[in-house]
Amino acid sequence: MAEAIKNKGHLAHAGHGSHGGDHGHGHDHHDQEEMKTFGFWLFLITDVILFGTLFATYVVLRNNFAGGPLGSDLIEMSGIIASTFILLTSSFTSGIALLEMNKGNKKGLITWLIITALLGASFIYLEVNEFIHLVHEGANIGTSAYWSAFFTLVGTHGLHVTVGLVWMTAIILQIRRRGITPVTKRKVNIISLYWHFLDVVWIFVFTIVYLMGVM
Amino acid sequence: MRRNYRMLAAGLFLAMVFLLSGCSEQYIVLDPKGPIGQSQKDLIIISTVLCAVIIVPVLIMTAVIVWRYRDRPGSKAKYKPNWEHNTKLEVTWWSIPIVIIIILAAVTINYTYKLEPSRAIESEKAPITIQVTSMDWKWLFKYPGEDIATVNYVKFPEDRPVRFQLTSDTAMNSFWIPQLGGQLYSMSGMAMTLYLQADEQGSYYGSGANFNGKDFAQMTFKADAVSQEEYDAWIQEVKKDAPALTMDGYKELQKPGRSDVQLFSSFPEGLFEQIVTQYVEEGSTGAHAHHGASSDTSKNEGSSKNNDSETNTADASDQHNGHAGH
Amino acid sequence: MWDKIKDFSSEFFVTGDPLILGAQVSIAITMVAIVFILTYFKKWRWLWTEWLTSVDHKKIGIMYIIASILMLFRGGVDALLMRMQLAVPQVEFLNAEHYNAIFTTHGVIMILFMAMPLMFGLFNIVVPLQIGARDVAFPFLNSLSFWMFFFGAMLFNVSFVIGGSPDAGWLAYPPLSGLSGSPGVGQDFYIWGIQISGIGSLATGINFIVTILKMRAPGMKLMKMPMFTWSVLSSCTTIIFAFPILTVTLFLLFIDRYLGAHFFTLDGGGNPMMYINLIWMWGHPEVYIVILPAFGIFSEIVSAFSKKKLFGYKSMVFALMSISFFSFFTWAHHFFTMGSGANVNAFFAVTTMLIAIPTGVKVFNWLFTMYRGKLSFPTPMMWTIAFIPCFVIGGMTGVLLSVAPADFQFHNSYFLIAHFHQVLIGGVVFGYFAGLYYWWPKMFGFKLHEGLGKWAFWFWNIGFYVCFMPQYALGLMGMTRRFNEYNFDMGWQPLNVVSTVGGFLMGIAFLFQVWQIAHSIKFYKKEKTGDTWDGRTLEWSIPSPAPMYNFARIPVVTEQDDWWEKKQRRLRGEADPPEVAQAEQAPLEPIHMPRNSGVPFVMSSFWFIAGFGFVWDWKWMIVLGLGGVIVSMLVRSFTYNTDYYIPVEEVERTEAAARGAH
């Protein structure tokens, strides 16, 4: 396997294998998969800033109901708590998927990824339902600044989860076809990182938007 | 050598600039006629001198170094290709700018509080209040004490503080009479306070300084400072001769377009407050109509201003109709 | 039917102005000519395989630079049109609407579609060569970044002939830029053009951080990196923290306009002042994003042409990083006059002044790099030396502007305009020109004609001072920016005429540069050594232009300015350290390279389609565009055959051809 990583990895420095051992600098072994994971961490930083900005706008506009309905009037916490549990569980199942992958269990990996994706899909289903409910109750994105900020922040998180679902499906198909290779391994690692990240963001959404804003 | 030509060119050029522009009276920012403008001019001079203390030697040093160390046959200048570090020197030029910036920062902080625009000017005379509204694309001035209104023209007595209250009926603008003092934004849904005073009589140039759409360039006005007697006489004259500004007349003014100077003998009561609070839902508690710029929480207030606000439907549709024009 | 088409096209195309009609006709003719030439010379395939699908960082860099020079032309024409109007305000050469559109597009194009891509072009060409790498970390993503920028820029530019240009200022403050203030499609072109290219910029930021941190040649510790690479690292770090804010801000403005949300509206509880804060939280770091690499370029050049080590390397690194950090805490100095209160103004005034300290230190270090050096003055060095006084004066006026209470008198006046043009032209443009002249031989294998370059240099410099020094004076005379006319007697006209003359001098300078490039191509003289300027860093150790794999053998680095030290050792007749010698004599191995891909081009054109659909609110087009984007992403995800090996024989052949030219 180490050999496989080497072959896949040395995009930039195919030549240095021969002298790599001679001087032992830490950043000598920059293999491609490791770099992609590092790049993804940087992407997550930008996503943190993105959500941070959305949270900031939400906080600035949180009391601007403009005479329209208040958040606490319309939002039903029971559904939110249920979807929170679903998302947290999916984070857990994606962790199990990772463990299965590290054991080399392709079937287990695929099964747990599918469970994760299904949980994610039900989260999205609940969120869409919630939005439809709110719109029926008379709160849409144009109702007031509060609702603009609410729908945008929560919706952006939902959009991230949706993108994650499409991506996860694509990865499941790739694992089925190719098995556990350094490349698919890296892909699973990255999507699970992404999934945990969305979970963390949701905890902030839950706390700031729902707990502090509604209750 | 080339450098020297260049410096010479720049120097000549600067000289030309000042010659071309003729008398210094045209530099209205540097020819203030009121206490605020005067302090700001002082500050400009202090900060320029402080910066020049460091800039001028650097410019000279640049010229000297470039000249002396140019590569030429038989050069006697030292050449030390590996000389790349000298703690003493580096500490020196970290310290020089630090010291200058500390001094400048101290001066700036001091003046920032002193020249806070909403801070009243000390005077034996009571200030006169003028409510200023930037519109598409004209300035509306209302004198709540005297109950007159003007468009694109403002007059006030000399030697007496003027308390301008600024708001906007549309996009943001910036109210600026350079010879009296610096500008302040006029923003919808807020009333900002700017104190200015003219120490001598004169006719001063005023303008909108922040772009707000098509005919932005037409938003200039004249600000006349006159004697108290002349001012009182003018008020009487306007009251006698000019038409009244009605609510319909105001709707007419709201239509986007330029305007000549207009005078009105009266205006609908509470018009300014209405403009400021037009986005606040009726009956809500969110109307901080007169919060000034006095505290650092004013921006929060500004947003909380809009907090409970909802569009007054009639006003809002007017607003949109008005905009449809351009 | 015909009437319907006529109605549609009168709304779709910008009509009724001879200037714009002329532009439309000339654009159409140019496009036909390009298609004809490509077809006649059977160059379509070449264009597709060699350029449009290329993931080679050098080619991507060249495409960035070509695009940015075109944009410089467009932005420059905008500037000259404005200057003409201001020289003769009595004549309505441009009416208010045109003038507003032109200053808006001038600002956006110069910052986002000229300075940024020119900067990315230099990043691309230089960074991998300077750190001894064979490409950037993510070559595919790099190509995607370029095409996102390119199609974003095209989407923005197309508004000139289709639908109407945005005209709410380059940062588009609402409510003026909202639906109430700008009901037309121009503002939507603005949003989507910037948004699409902004995603590309963000990706480039990530790409180069990983490249620099993970792909340096063995032995190149962080504190041995060339200063330009350091400046790229600091600039990219700033990018990844600043650009997401822009993305969100424009996105919110868009949903205000498109879905009737109330983020920045006056009614419904919106807060326009929040937009001004947000856009400057990106906007201020943005100016440091473009200036920091210029600092890096000057550091390289000043050291190379003084034949001396860069003075105060550690100070320089520390200064770069602290500028990048502080740039996030100064945004409110762009609106001291908002009345945020004395505490806020005092805080932001002081943070702004703090930035002057590391910047000043850098100037001293450049001066002391020259001190006890041996200075020569080819064009890159001339731009560098011209930069110092220009930037020092521009920096000083910047400090004056940071004095909050004084700024109440400078704000939005021509004093401000003169200041930021002085730092952006004197700093950024001079810097990138210096870099272009310096690395041109590395890109193309020939030098640019020095004589014509000097003409261009003098016209640029004299033109600059003639154009912008009067504007400081105009600011003190109370002239506000964004006036298209001034009908009153304020004595502004003479200086405006002078300024316009200066603008045209810079226009002539640009023509000299075009001539210079054409002349140098016509009288092509191969630059054989690969080390045009007796350089100091790794990029000069390989042939010019660099072979596609850059380094046949990855070098082992032992020193800062490694190539220079190596040459010095050889002059002194010393042997290389064993690890260096061993790396150099190691047998060649097959070189692992990324495969070209058409996906970035296709995916970005789908973004263009989606953006265009959003602008006109054509649902089918939005679906088509976004659908295409998703499919492109999946295609890429399922592609595993993304790389190949260059066999040893081919490397040997390429090296022999390049070295044989000695």
Side-chain angles (χ1 to χ4, degrees):
Chain A
M1 186 111 109
E3 203 41 53
I5 293 177
K6 265 224 154 82
N7 283 341
K8 276 289 163 200
H10 291 167
L11 168 75
H13 298 271
H16 80 77
S18 59
H19 51 74
D22 295 340
H23 27 81
H25 294 290
H27 36 72
D28 210 347
H29 309 282
H30 24 66
D31 83 340
Q32 191 66 7
E33 306 310 326
E34 185 209 331
M35 276 197 315
K36 284 191 171 154
T37 311
F38 179 57
F40 194 78
W41 275 103
L42 293 180
F43 164 76
L44 286 187
I45 292 180
T46 68
D47 230 20
V48 167
I49 310 272
L50 183 136
F51 276 108
T53 315
L54 285 174
F55 275 113
T57 54
Y58 175 83
V59 169
V60 169
L61 300 174
R62 72 188 181 285
N63 292 321
N64 298 13
F65 297 104
L70 309 187
S72 50
D73 294 346
L74 303 182
I75 295 168
E76 283 167 6
M77 281 306 283
S78 54
I80 304 305
I81 291 169
S83 55
T84 304
F85 273 109
I86 289 173
L87 199 66
L88 290 179
T89 314
S90 80
S91 208
F92 180 68
T93 55
S94 83
I96 299 180
L98 224 60
L99 289 178
E100 293 295 327
M101 178 177 78
N102 290 338
K103 275 190 240 159
N105 181 355
K106 176 175 158 187
K107 215 168 162 193
L109 167 61
I110 292 178
T111 313
W112 283 106
L113 280 183
I114 289 175
I115 292 171
T116 307
L118 286 176
L119 287 170
S122 37
F123 172 84
I124 291 296
Y125 173 78
L126 286 177
E127 183 157 284
V128 170
N129 263 346
E130 188 212 356
F131 280 13
I132 292 172
H133 160 76
L134 289 173
V135 171
H136 278 299
E137 296 287 319
N140 60 46
I141 199 165
T143 304
S144 67
Y146 168 81
W147 287 106
S148 302
F150 171 86
F151 279 108
T152 307
L153 174 55
V154 179
T156 306
H157 176 267
L159 193 67
H160 272 73
V161 176
T162 313
V163 169
L165 286 178
V166 176
W167 185 10
M168 201 177 279
T169 316
I171 291 176
I172 291 171
L173 293 176
Q174 290 171 34
I175 298 167
R176 264 189 52 186
R177 197 185 300 173
R178 294 173 188 274
I180 300 172
T181 70
V183 177
T184 52
K185 223 175 158 174
R186 183 257 307 162
K187 288 190 178 188
V188 175
N189 273 321
I190 284 180
I191 185 113
S192 105
L193 201 58
Y194 181 71
W195 207 255
H196 292 314
F197 167 75
L198 292 183
D199 217 34
V200 173
V201 172
W202 180 257
I203 290 169
F204 279 94
V205 173
F206 183 72
T207 315
I208 293 173
V209 177
Y210 291 106
L211 287 184
M212 286 160 70
V214 178
M215 292 177 99
Chain B
M1 189 169 79
R2 289 188 183 104
R3 257 210 55 75
N4 285 20
Y5 278 139
R6 230 171 57 70
M7 292 293 284
L8 190 67
L12 273 177
F13 180 67
L14 277 175
M16 186 177 73
V17 167
F18 285 95
L19 280 179
L20 255 178
S21 50
C23 46
S24 65
E25 271 168 30
Q26 282 177 328
Y27 291 89
I28 52 179
V29 170
L30 301 180
D31 184 24
K33 303 291 185 198
I36 303 289
Q38 185 59 49
S39 301
Q40 279 161 337
K41 181 190 168 188
D42 294 345
L43 187 56
I44 289 172
I45 289 170
I46 294 170
S47 51
T48 310
V49 169
L50 274 174
C51 288
V53 166
I54 192 162
I55 296 308
V56 173
V58 167
L59 290 177
I60 295 170
M61 228 162 79
T62 312
V64 170
I65 289 176
V66 169
W67 176 252
R68 179 159 168 75
Y69 294 98
R70 72 195 191 284
D71 187 18
R72 63 184 197 285
S75 168
K76 287 190 191 103
K78 266 191 196 159
Y79 174 52
K80 295 174 99 180
N82 290 319
W83 187 64
E84 48 141 0
H85 182 70
N86 183 318
T87 311
K88 252 189 225 158
L89 278 175
E90 287 192 67
V91 168
T92 315
W93 61 65
W94 275 96
S95 332
I96 297 171
I98 288 174
V99 169
I100 299 269
I101 292 298
I102 288 175
I103 299 172
L104 189 59
V107 174
T108 302
I109 292 172
N110 180 21
Y111 271 89
T112 304
Y113 286 93
K114 210 169 97 187
L115 290 176
E116 169 56 36
S118 60
R119 194 175 141 148
I121 295 172
E122 282 170 34
S123 168
E124 289 139 29
K125 298 176 188 164
I128 152 174
T129 298
I130 300 179
Q131 298 168 331
V132 185
T133 310
S134 60
M135 309 178 68
D136 280 346
W137 290 278
K138 57 198 79 85
W139 290 100
L140 174 64
F141 299 94
K142 294 186 284 288
Y143 295 66
E146 289 76 8
D147 193 30
I148 65 157
T150 60
V151 170
N152 284 351
Y153 179 71
V154 63
K155 190 178 249 184
F156 39 80
E158 62 173 326
D159 269 335
R160 187 171 157 192
V162 185
R163 177 165 161 261
F164 288 102
Q165 286 183 292
L166 312 176
T167 192
S168 171
D169 198 17
T170 58
M172 180 174 103
N173 206 318
S174 192
F175 178 78
W176 191 25
I177 306 174
Q179 284 189 281
L180 301 188
Q183 62 195 287
L184 197 66
Y185 286 163
S186 63
M187 295 170 280
S188 292
M190 303 185 203
M192 310 301 293
T193 305
L194 171 67
Y195 276 93
L196 293 174
Q197 177 178 315
D199 286 342
E200 36 183 290
Q201 297 186 15
S203 187
Y204 305 119
Y205 166 78
S207 75
N210 193 76
F211 178 64
N212 70 336
K214 182 171 167 266
D215 280 330
F216 161 67
Q218 310 304 324
M219 293 193 65
T220 54
F221 61 89
K222 220 162 72 166
D224 283 342
V226 294
S227 67
Q228 184 70 41
E229 298 76 46
E230 216 176 312
Y231 173 72
D232 293 337
W234 177 72
I235 297 283
Q236 291 315 316
E237 197 186 306
V238 173
K239 278 198 159 315
K240 206 170 81 210
D241 297 341
L245 177 65
T246 59
M247 210 55 213
D248 288 341
Y250 179 70
K251 297 253 156 74
E252 202 57 35
L253 271 182
Q254 275 184 320
K255 289 184 180 158
R258 50 175 84 180
S259 170
D260 293 327
V261 172
Q262 299 183 47
L263 304 173
F264 299 103
S265 59
S266 71
F267 60 89
E269 206 189 317
L271 177 59
F272 185 77
E273 289 72 16
Q274 268 182 48
I275 297 169
V276 173
T277 58
Q278 62 180 311
Y279 303 107
V280 179
E281 190 212 357
E282 267 175 57
S284 81
T285 52
H288 317 282
H290 292 290
H291 81 80
S294 48
S295 73
D296 59 314
T297 57
S298 71
K299 206 157 18 162
N300 296 338
E301 267 187 60
S303 52
S304 69
K305 242 222 77 24
N306 291 325
N307 280 352
D308 323 354
S309 64
E310 131 121 327
T311 319
N312 178 324
T313 329
D315 276 6
S317 59
D318 271 343
Q319 193 72 13
H320 289 296
N321 289 342
H323 279 299
H326 57 106
Chain C
M1 180 68 192
W2 175 242
D3 281 341
K4 256 190 175 167
I5 293 175
K6 237 167 77 179
D7 271 3
F8 168 76
S9 56
S10 72
E11 193 197 335
F12 190 70
F13 291 108
V14 178
T15 50
D17 187 280
L19 267 176
I20 292 181
L21 185 69
Q24 283 167 331
V25 171
S26 56
I27 289 170
I29 292 175
T30 317
M31 276 161 63
V32 170
I34 291 172
V35 170
F36 176 78
I37 290 171
L38 286 171
T39 313
Y40 186 80
F41 291 101
K42 301 202 174 71
K43 286 288 186 192
W44 284 104
R45 174 166 285 279
W46 167 81
L47 184 69
W48 177 257
T49 53
E50 291 292 313
W51 293 93
L52 303 192
T53 61
S54 176
V55 295
D56 181 346
H57 69 97
K58 300 176 287 296
K59 286 185 174 165
I60 290 173
I62 289 170
M63 290 193 287
Y64 266 123
I65 288 169
I66 292 172
S68 71
I69 289 174
L70 289 176
M71 289 293 104
L72 175 63
F73 175 73
R74 155 99 211 255
V77 170
D78 281 349
L80 293 183
L81 290 174
M82 283 191 281
R83 284 309 332 160
M84 266 151 78
Q85 169 64 31
L86 288 175
V88 282
Q90 301 84 349
V91 185
E92 202 176 72
F93 168 69
L94 296 171
N95 65 31
E97 275 147 331
H98 279 147
Y99 189 85
N100 297 345
I102 284 176
F103 72 64
T104 302
T105 54
H106 169 77
V108 174
I109 286 176
M110 286 304 201
I111 294 281
L112 287 161
F113 301 135
M114 190 282 283
M116 289 291 279
L118 191 47
M119 170 180 99
F120 287 147
L122 291 168
F123 284 14
N124 263 289
I125 286 159
V126 179
V127 169
L129 300 182
Q130 270 197 337
I131 62 173
R134 289 197 169 125
D135 206 320
V136 296
F138 312 120
F140 174 87
L141 186 67
N142 197 24
S143 164
L144 183 63
S145 292
F146 170 74
W147 288 110
M148 291 293 274
F149 146 71
F150 181 81
F151 280 104
M154 287 304 111
L155 187 60
F156 181 85
N157 275 281
V158 96
S159 68
F160 177 58
V161 286
I162 293 175
S165 294
D167 57 1
W170 86 277
L171 285 183
Y173 287 1
L176 189 60
S177 62
L179 207 52
S180 62
S182 305
V185 292
Q187 205 53 47
D188 298 306
F189 275 116
Y190 169 95
I191 291 171
W192 282 99
I194 296 178
Q195 194 71 290
I196 291 172
S197 71
I199 299 170
S201 306
L202 197 53
T204 306
I206 294 176
N207 210 339
F208 277 87
I209 294 181
V210 180
T211 307
I212 293 171
L213 292 183
K214 296 281 181 186
M215 294 183 65
R216 276 165 290 132
M220 185 183 278
K221 299 210 173 86
L222 279 176
M223 291 314 272
K224 283 181 182 164
M225 285 199 314
M227 196 49 66
F228 178 68
T229 301
W230 263 114
S231 72
V232 174
L233 185 62
S234 62
S235 169
C236 288
T237 314
T238 318
I239 287 178
I240 67 165
F241 285 98
F243 266 75
I245 305 177
L246 175 71
T247 306
V248 171
T249 309
L250 290 179
F251 178 60
L252 299 185
L253 183 61
F254 175 71
I255 47 185
D256 264 11
R257 292 177 59 87
Y258 191 71
L259 299 175
H262 291 291
F263 286 103
F264 311 125
T265 56
L266 293 173
D267 57 348
N271 188 345
M273 299 309 137
M274 186 169 69
Y275 179 93
I276 300 177
N277 274 283
L278 287 173
I279 199 80
W280 280 116
M281 284 181 193
W282 160 78
H284 194 80
E286 165 66 14
V287 299
Y288 287 94
I289 288 168
V290 293
I291 193 76
L292 288 172
F295 290 167
I297 293 169
F298 293 129
S299 305
E300 298 286 329
I301 290 176
V302 94
S303 163
F305 295 107
S306 305
K307 300 227 164 299
K308 186 161 164 285
K309 254 189 173 166
L310 185 65
F311 199 89
Y313 182 93
K314 278 183 199 150
S315 285
M316 291 297 239
V317 171
F318 181 71
L320 280 175
M321 287 308 174
S322 56
I323 292 172
S324 150
F325 175 77
F326 280 117
S327 71
F328 284 93
F329 301 96
T330 64
W331 78 87
H333 71 218
H334 295 274
F335 43 87
F336 280 141
T337 55
M338 194 188 266
S340 310
N343 292 347
V344 172
N345 281 4
F347 174 80
F348 282 100
V350 173
T351 52
T352 306
M353 290 172 190
L354 285 181
I355 289 197
I357 298 170
T359 315
V361 168
K362 294 188 84 69
V363 172
F364 281 117
N365 279 334
W366 289 317
L367 288 180
F368 275 77
T369 305
M370 293 193 278
Y371 180 72
R372 293 181 181 168
K374 208 184 252 180
L375 311 186
S376 54
F377 302 97
T379 36
M381 186 62 164
M382 288 179 72
W383 286 101
T384 305
I385 289 172
F387 149 82
I388 293 177
C390 194
F391 192 77
V392 162
I393 297 168
M396 164 176 149
T397 56
V399 173
L400 297 185
L401 283 164
S402 77
V403 178
D407 182 60
F408 281 68
Q409 286 283 34
F410 293 137
H411 186 58
N412 276 346
S413 77
Y414 264 83
F415 192 90
L416 171 71
I417 303 297
H419 158 71
F420 74 68
H421 280 94
Q422 183 150 20
V423 285
L424 285 175
I425 294 181
V428 176
V429 176
F430 283 17
Y432 294 175
F433 280 166
L436 265 186
Y437 285 109
Y438 183 59
W439 283 301
W440 185 279
K442 192 45 67 187
M443 293 181 227
F444 297 106
F446 63 91
K447 265 169 87 169
L448 284 173
H449 188 267
E450 280 281 309
L452 285 167
K454 286 188 176 159
W455 278 98
F457 171 85
W458 287 110
F459 269 96
W460 262 110
N461 269 272
I462 295 168
F464 170 80
Y465 285 100
V466 175
C467 184
F468 290 104
M469 293 303 120
Q471 294 189 7
Y472 282 116
L474 283 168
L476 296 176
M477 290 161 89
M479 181 164 168
T480 340
R481 70 195 292 199
R482 296 175 172 176
F483 272 177
N484 68 313
E485 55 180 44
Y486 41 96
N487 291 325
F488 26 86
D489 183 25
M490 297 296 293
W492 295 345
Q493 197 172 4
L495 286 180
N496 269 300
V497 173
V498 173
S499 179
T500 302
V501 170
F504 275 88
L505 290 178
M506 285 189 275
I508 295 170
F510 179 75
L511 294 181
F512 266 111
Q513 288 175 308
V514 174
W515 182 14
Q516 181 192 17
I517 293 172
H519 182 274
S520 313
I521 293 174
K522 194 174 169 202
F523 299 96
Y524 175 89
K525 214 173 116 231
K526 172 95 179 139
E527 206 288 300
K528 287 176 186 154
T529 62
D531 189 5
T532 321
W533 313 107
D534 195 7
R536 309 178 70 86
T537 39
L538 287 182
E539 73 267 34
W540 303 109
S541 68
I542 54 173
S544 299
M548 69 180 303
Y549 47 78
N550 298 349
F551 296 88
R553 295 176 186 82
I554 296 297
V556 170
V557 173
T558 52
E559 313 273 347
Q560 175 199 330
D561 291 343
D562 195 67
W563 174 238
W564 174 262
E565 299 297 339
K566 189 180 268 179
K567 287 189 286 186
Q568 293 301 307
R569 279 198 300 269
R570 284 178 193 166
L571 281 179
R572 292 194 298 265
E574 288 170 20
D576 285 333
E579 68 266 29
V580 176
Q582 196 188 345
E584 258 180 24
Q585 282 139 26
L588 284 172
E589 290 179 23
I591 294 176
H592 191 183
M593 295 299 288
R595 260 184 215 288
N596 286 354
S597 169
V599 174
F601 182 86
V602 173
M603 195 202 290
S604 308
S605 31
F606 276 118
W607 270 112
F608 179 91
I609 292 169
F612 201 80
F614 275 119
V615 169
W616 292 96
D617 195 10
W618 294 340
K619 302 279 187 306
W620 62 271
M621 205 170 186
I622 300 172
V623 172
L624 173 73
L626 293 180
V629 170
I630 294 168
V631 171
S632 316
M633 282 179 176
L634 289 175
V635 166
R636 175 65 186 178
S637 179
F638 280 88
T639 308
Y640 274 66
N641 183 16
T642 56
D643 36 27
Y644 70 106
Y645 283 88
I646 303 178
V648 171
E649 303 79 62
E650 197 184 324
V651 177
E652 272 169 354
R653 232 178 302 130
T654 316
E655 288 294 299
R659 303 288 175 189
H662 275 262

